Amino acid sequence: MAAPATVLVVDDEENINYLVASALQLAGLRTLRAATGAAALDLALGESPDAIVLDVMLPDLDGFEVLRRLREAGCRAPVLFLTARTATADRVRGLTAGGDDYIVKPFALEELVARVQLALRRVGGAPTQAGRLQVHDLVLDTEAHRVWRGDVEANLTATEFSLLRLLLVNAGRVVTRAQILDHVWQYDFSGESAIIESFVSTLRRKVDAVEPKLIHTVRGVGYSVREP
């Protein structure tokens, strides 16, 4: 039998930390726990968890700084922020910094577990279309989970990869914002188009900063990847 996926839970509130870890364990996942940013970095880099539930407000480093250091160290595990901050600007900051989800306190444990499972499926637990998707010199390998623009490999988060794959599968067609929310996140972001726009902007920096431009905005509708 395959070993269960490991999730690192980072929260300085002991009761929340315990409840989240317990709920994940009941869902069949292995958990690690940390109460500070420094401890989270040590565990994440030493144990290589498959996903991380990360509180933003920690006693030493905030969650955004922990995420930045993790990504710089090469950690590609999906990160789900857990925070009391509800502002759209905070959501955009966390997601575009390389986070994969943003869960606001108070929350339902069942929903948190579902989102963690979804994040794990994105990075390898769910079947993907075999082979490669390609438009011009932009190539996405669905099995190796790698992306290249020309000879340069792009480092994408799990959510960025899912978004790009959706656009490439529908190459030449317009993908609406509603379709992006449904297929990439599989739940509603309350229509906050700033989230999608931020992710598309990040994708453009990573895979579409050279000519010819392949990712196009269809105003008032959505986005399209098409041959030049």
Side-chain angles (χ1 to χ4, degrees), residues 114-191:
R115 293 195 188 185
V116 169
Q117 292 171 329
L118 174 59
L120 290 169
R121 287 199 299 272
R122 285 202 202 111
V123 294
T128 59
Q129 180 178 338
R132 294 188 172 195
L133 301 171
Q134 181 168 358
V135 172
H136 193 58
D137 62 346
L138 175 59
V139 179
L140 181 147
D141 190 317
T142 60
E143 295 180 340
H145 216 270
R146 299 171 69 183
V147 175
W148 297 266
R149 180 67 192 266
D151 295 327
V152 180
E153 185 169 0
N155 234 345
L156 304 186
T157 68
T159 303
E160 291 162 0
F161 186 90
S162 295
L163 174 56
L164 181 60
R165 180 172 55 187
L166 176 64
L167 293 173
L168 287 174
V169 165
N170 292 280
R173 298 190 292 268
V174 178
V175 182
T176 67
R177 291 178 175 84
Q179 288 171 328
I180 291 172
L181 288 173
D182 184 52
H183 286 81
V184 176
W185 284 279
Q186 297 184 15
Y187 59 87
D188 186 19
F189 258 129
S190 302

Side-chain angles (χ1 to χ4, degrees), residues 19 21 40 48 51 65-66 98 115 126-127 135 162 180 189 208 216 218 227:
L19 287 172
S48 300
E65 177 62 17
V66 172
R115 293 195 188 185
V135 172
S162 295
I180 291 172
F189 258 129
D208 209 27
H216 302 274
V218 181
E227 293 279 357

Side-chain angles (χ1 to χ4, degrees), residues 26 33-34 37 55 67 75 124 162 183 193 196 210:
L26 286 173
R33 297 171 59 195
D55 188 19
L67 175 61
C75 175
S162 295
H183 286 81
S193 61
I196 299 174
V210 298

Side-chain angles (χ1 to χ4, degrees), residues 20-223:
V20 170
S22 297
L24 292 170
Q25 289 166 10
L26 286 173
L29 300 170
R30 173 176 175 262
T31 61
L32 303 168
R33 297 171 59 195
T36 66
L41 288 168
D42 287 343
L43 278 172
L45 299 179
E47 299 287 339
S48 300
D50 300 291
I52 301 171
V53 177
L54 179 60
D55 188 19
V56 171
M57 301 176 69
L58 296 169
D60 49 355
L61 307 170
D62 70 23
F64 299 132
E65 177 62 17
V66 172
L67 175 61
R68 186 187 69 79
R69 296 189 188 187
L70 286 173
R71 295 303 188 227
E72 283 186 351
C75 175
R76 303 259 62 87
V79 171
L80 298 85
F81 280 116
L82 190 61
T83 179
R85 298 182 181 181
T86 60
T88 298
D90 287 322
R91 293 192 186 193
V92 171
R93 179 186 177 191
L95 293 169
T96 57
D100 295 273
D101 206 342
Y102 196 101
I103 303 168
V104 177
K105 300 175 182 178
F107 55 88
L109 284 171
E110 295 84 354
E111 180 183 4
L112 183 146
V113 171
R115 293 195 188 185
V116 169
Q117 292 171 329
L118 174 59
L120 290 169
R121 287 199 299 272
R122 285 202 202 111
V123 294
T128 59
Q129 180 178 338
R132 294 188 172 195
L133 301 171
Q134 181 168 358
V135 172
H136 193 58
D137 62 346
L138 175 59
V139 179
L140 181 147
D141 190 317
T142 60
E143 295 180 340
H145 216 270
R146 299 171 69 183
V147 175
W148 297 266
R149 180 67 192 266
D151 295 327
V152 180
E153 185 169 0
N155 234 345
L156 304 186
T157 68
T159 303
E160 291 162 0
F161 186 90
S162 295
L163 174 56
L164 181 60
R165 180 172 55 187
L166 176 64
L167 293 173
L168 287 174
V169 165
N170 292 280
R173 298 190 292 268
V174 178
V175 182
T176 67
R177 291 178 175 84
Q179 288 171 328
I180 291 172
L181 288 173
D182 184 52
H183 286 81
V184 176
W185 284 279
Q186 297 184 15
Y187 59 87
D188 186 19
F189 258 129
S190 302
E192 292 173 358
S193 61
I195 300 292
I196 299 174
E197 290 164 5
S198 295
F199 267 89
V200 171
S201 176
T202 301
L203 269 186
R204 283 176 166 146
R205 289 197 302 273
K206 291 185 175 183
V207 303
D208 209 27
V210 298
E211 294 293 340
K213 303 300 183 185
L214 303 176
I215 302 175
H216 302 274
T217 301
V218 181
R219 295 194 179 280
V221 184
Y223 301 92

